Every structure is written in structure tokens, then in C-alpha cells.
Amino acid sequence: MNKKIVLSSFKNASSKDWGDWRWQLQNRFTKISSIKHFPIKYFPNQINADKIASVYPMAVTPYYLSLIQEDASGDAITAQCIPDMREITLGQKYPEDPLEEDSKMPVPKLIHRYTDRCLALVTEVCAVHCRHCNRKRFWAKPNSGNFKTRLGGFIRYLEKSPQIREVIISGGDPLIYDDEKLEIILAGIKTVQNVEIIRIGSRMPAVMPMRITKTLCRILKRYRPLWFNTQFNSPAELTADAARACNMLQEAGIPVSNQSVLIKGVNDSEDKMRALLYGLQKISVRPYYLFHCEPVKGCWHFRTSIESGIKMMENLRRECSGLALPQYVADIPGKAGKIPLVSISSSTKAQMHKYQYFFDNFT
Ligand code: SF4
């Protein structure tokens, strides 16, 4: 598939429309029947996807849909955006909220798990519904409550919590808001004296890179130190548009890091992960975390074993530059937070033993 094929289904749309994030958002595909005429090779479990979408709604931007490889079975984009029957048939005993986020909210939609930072869920809406999302429980009930009331609650809590120095603005996807609303959020949070650092978590560079505009970058620049964390999971997402979006952020002085999820069939082989990590490095995006896929209801079929994840990362560690290597972690509920998943192989242990004198000299 490519941009032309997808664009042809919108009779009066131009290439200018394609590059406009609002057009992308307004023209999202929300029914499998609306994309049936595209040359997509579905997985067997994706044939009746509309049934699944009534539980976990579908949303795909024309841009992200155009990244699907026409006849590639096992396509990484298809797996991440087209509903799959296994979302409602397997792993139904998994919790909807495995990190128990909903119980860690001192005020609505603000998660405070760690002493010095908190996570502000400013929206439940996203450009694309990533099928592996650990917050897919939000999709059926988007944006509950009033935007200003929610922001006011965040600000009052932050003012009463001097130990919080960093606020992660997330969701949903905060860049779903237009520039004006986003600036109201940033300015409001920045009024709190103890907030030193703002972090934005957004998948827009991967799923709708046209959202990163010059105006947006100008706004974000005003609120530095501001860090931007995004989520590329496959080298197929590292397009020229995505690279341009990341570069615009970087040129505005905003460091861009990546937090991938380890997803079965998408990036769980050494070859695919290596291509992703090298690709990120080439566009100056730092691979930061690789999250083990959480036990979320509706995500059973995306999960790999921890053992295979450790083995894959151990092998990559032997050949890849440290700058290309994310930390492989499992996020668990409570203050323990992110647990590094590492093991030292017997051959590595033997090598360390051989060079014991080296360690002795320096400890
Ligand atoms: S953009 Fe993030 S929060 Fe939204 S569906 Fe994708 S993974 Fe979930």
C-alpha cells in the first residue's frame, strides 16, 4: 500500500490535505468495512474485525494505513492497527488496568506512583488505536469531564506537592489537542514553581507525523527543559515523514527518546529489533526503554516470554553499540516500578571471572 492508493479513496483530497494533521484526524478509518477495498492481506483473526471494534474501537489515520505492505502477511503495521479476534477471545482473565493506575490517582486522571514525578493523563483520545495499548480500557469512554476542570485539579495537586519536580504529560495522546489547548496545558503546569521538567509522551511521530508542525515546535520550545518520548515499534514506521518530524523537534532543542513495546510478530526477532534500533539511531532518536508487553486484557496474543526477550537483547548487546540499546524492562504495579530484565550468560560469567583482576583493580 502507499499514500496514492489510500488517498484515491478520498475523492476531493489533495496532497496538501494529506500533509494536514487535521485532515488526517477527520478522515480516520474506524470500520474494517471502510478499508475492505484496499489490498490488505489480513491475518485470519482479523477477518471479522468489526465485531471486535464494538469492544475495542478501531481508529487508523490514512497515513498509518498507507504504511501497510500490500501483500505481506505478518505485517507489523497491520498487527498494530487492525482489530484481531484474539483481543476478545484470549487472555480474558488479564486485568484491564494491570498497573493499577486507576487506584493511584489522588485527583482525577493524575497518576502519582513515584515521589518526584507524576503522570498527567490530559486526554483519553489517540490518533490511532494501537491494538497492543495498555490503556485500551479508555477507548470506549473518551474524554470524560471538562478539560479545564481536569487541568485545574492537576495544578492544585502539583502546588500542594513540592516533592514533584517532573510532570509527564500523556494520555491518550496529548498532541491530539490543537496548539492553543496544548499551550494552555503547558503554561498551566509551568506556573507551578516546583515543576522543573516537562515530558511529553506521544506516538504522533509514528502514527501521524504531520502533527509536528513549525508552530507546535515553537510552542514546545518555550517550555524547555522539555523531553519528548515517542513509540516506534517497527522499522516500517521510520519513514521520511517520521524522520522529518523528529528532526523538527530536535532542531527546536527538544531531545527525542523512544519507548518501544516488545510485540510478538512485530519486533520480537533479532533482525527486526536490530533494524528498529539502528533506524532510530540514524534519525538521532535515543532508544530508551523496551517494555515487556503487559498482561492487559485484550493483548494476550502480543505477549512474548520474558526469557526470549532477554535472550534477544543479550544477543543484540554483543553486537550493537550501547547508544542503540534500550533498557529492556517490565513495568509492575506499585513503587517497584520498572524492573530491568537482564541475565548474565554462563559464557559472560566465565569471561568476567577470567578478568577478575580488572575488577579488583578498580573497586
Ligand atoms: S498512542 Fe499510546 S495511548 Fe494511544 S493507543 Fe497508542 S499506545 Fe495507547
Side-chain angles (χ1 to χ4, degrees):
M1 190 115 53
N2 57 42
K3 171 185 158 186
K4 256 192 191 154
I5 295 178
V6 180
L7 197 51
S8 67
S9 73
F10 301 99
K11 285 189 192 91
N12 299 316
S14 62
S15 279
K16 193 170 170 232
D17 291 329
W18 183 269
D20 178 350
W21 69 272
R22 286 187 177 82
W23 182 90
Q24 290 282 338
L25 210 52
Q26 276 158 12
N27 289 287
R28 289 184 304 168
F29 296 96
T30 55
K31 286 202 178 328
I32 203 84
S33 45
S34 63
I35 56 172
K36 270 281 189 272
H37 57 288
F38 291 124
I40 298 171
K41 192 166 178 182
Y42 297 99
F43 295 94
N45 284 301
Q46 292 175 322
I47 303 299
N48 292 317
D50 277 342
K51 267 191 205 164
I52 309 140
S54 64
V55 182
Y56 296 118
M58 173 176 137
V60 191
T61 54
Y63 166 82
Y64 199 65
L65 192 82
S66 77
L67 304 187
I68 290 179
Q69 300 289 306
E70 283 173 37
D71 54 0
S73 64
D75 179 77
I77 307 297
T78 312
Q80 290 183 77
C81 70
I82 306 292
D84 185 303
M85 206 60 186
R86 290 172 293 181
E87 291 175 49
I88 55 170
T89 55
L90 298 176
Q92 296 303 293
K93 286 193 178 151
Y94 280 166
E96 289 197 310
D97 176 18
L99 293 178
E100 298 167 7
E101 291 181 330
D102 293 347
S103 65
K104 304 278 180 315
M105 294 181 183
V107 293
K109 305 294 176 187
L110 184 131
I111 303 167
H112 194 183
R113 279 175 75 194
Y114 307 104
T115 310
D116 71 340
R117 60 200 182 278
C118 67
L119 187 73
L121 303 177
V122 296
T123 178
E124 285 75 42
V125 183
C126 297
V128 167
H129 286 173
C130 315
R131 310 313 300 180
H132 57 274
C133 178
N134 65 356
R135 295 199 186 117
K136 61 201 294 182
R137 66 185 184 281
F138 289 166
W139 298 347
K141 33 186 176 181
N143 271 15
S144 47
N146 175 285
F147 162 81
K148 286 202 170 151
T149 310
R150 190 187 296 202
L151 181 62
F154 294 164
I155 294 170
R156 280 190 296 279
Y157 182 75
L158 290 168
E159 283 170 343
K160 282 190 304 185
S161 313
Q163 74 280 21
I164 296 178
R165 57 178 292 273
E166 181 172 348
V167 178
I168 301 151
I169 298 175
S170 182
D173 197 315
L175 297 195
I176 205 82
Y177 285 129
D178 62 23
D179 295 342
E180 197 186 330
K181 263 194 172 158
L182 198 65
E183 181 142 34
I184 292 173
I185 296 171
L186 292 165
I189 288 176
K190 207 63 181 188
T191 57
V192 182
Q193 293 223 329
N194 43 295
V195 176
E196 295 169 357
I197 312 266
I198 291 180
R199 218 194 298 180
I200 288 186
S202 166
R203 246 207 127 186
M204 290 300 185
V207 299
M208 198 172 76
M210 41 292 281
R211 176 65 188 95
I212 311 301
T213 60
K214 280 185 190 159
T215 313
L216 174 71
C217 289
R218 264 200 302 276
I219 292 171
L220 297 181
K221 193 174 181 176
R222 289 203 276 272
Y223 296 91
R224 290 184 303 166
L226 186 149
W227 301 66
F228 195 100
N229 276 355
T230 190
Q231 185 195 132
F232 290 102
N233 294 318
S234 160
E237 294 165 342
L238 298 172
T239 63
D241 289 321
R244 194 174 322 120
C246 294
N247 188 50
M248 285 170 74
L249 290 164
Q250 290 153 357
E251 287 198 335
I254 296 159
V256 185
S257 302
N258 191 63
Q259 305 191 153
S260 301
V261 181
L262 180 58
I263 307 172
K264 192 184 271 181
V266 171
N267 56 17
D268 62 334
S269 74
E270 277 170 50
D271 285 347
K272 286 177 184 163
M273 185 55 74
R274 188 189 304 102
L276 171 65
L277 300 178
Y278 282 177
L280 287 167
Q281 223 190 347
K282 281 203 307 211
I283 60 168
S284 307
V285 172
R286 184 194 162 208
Y288 176 39
Y289 278 131
L290 171 63
F291 283 107
H292 190 70
C293 188
E294 281 163 26
V296 187
K297 189 174 178 185
C299 295
W300 183 92
H301 57 296
F302 287 123
R303 302 192 79 218
T304 61
S305 71
I306 284 184
E307 290 73 23
S308 64
I310 288 177
K311 193 157 183 269
M312 178 181 79
M313 291 311 291
E314 208 169 68
N315 289 339
L316 289 173
R317 198 173 302 123
R318 282 197 206 101
E319 56 176 279
C320 297
S321 143
L323 279 179
L325 288 172
Q327 194 174 17
Y328 176 37
V329 295
D331 205 358
I332 59 168
K335 288 207 188 273
K338 298 171 187 68
I339 309 286
L341 299 173
V342 279
S343 78
I344 300 178
S345 66
S346 47
S347 67
T348 307
K349 272 185 201 151
Q351 281 180 43
M352 287 172 75
H353 186 72
K354 194 170 147 195
Y355 294 106
Q356 187 61 45
Y357 69 93
F358 180 89
F359 299 104
D360 288 346
N361 281 351
F362 289 90
T363 50

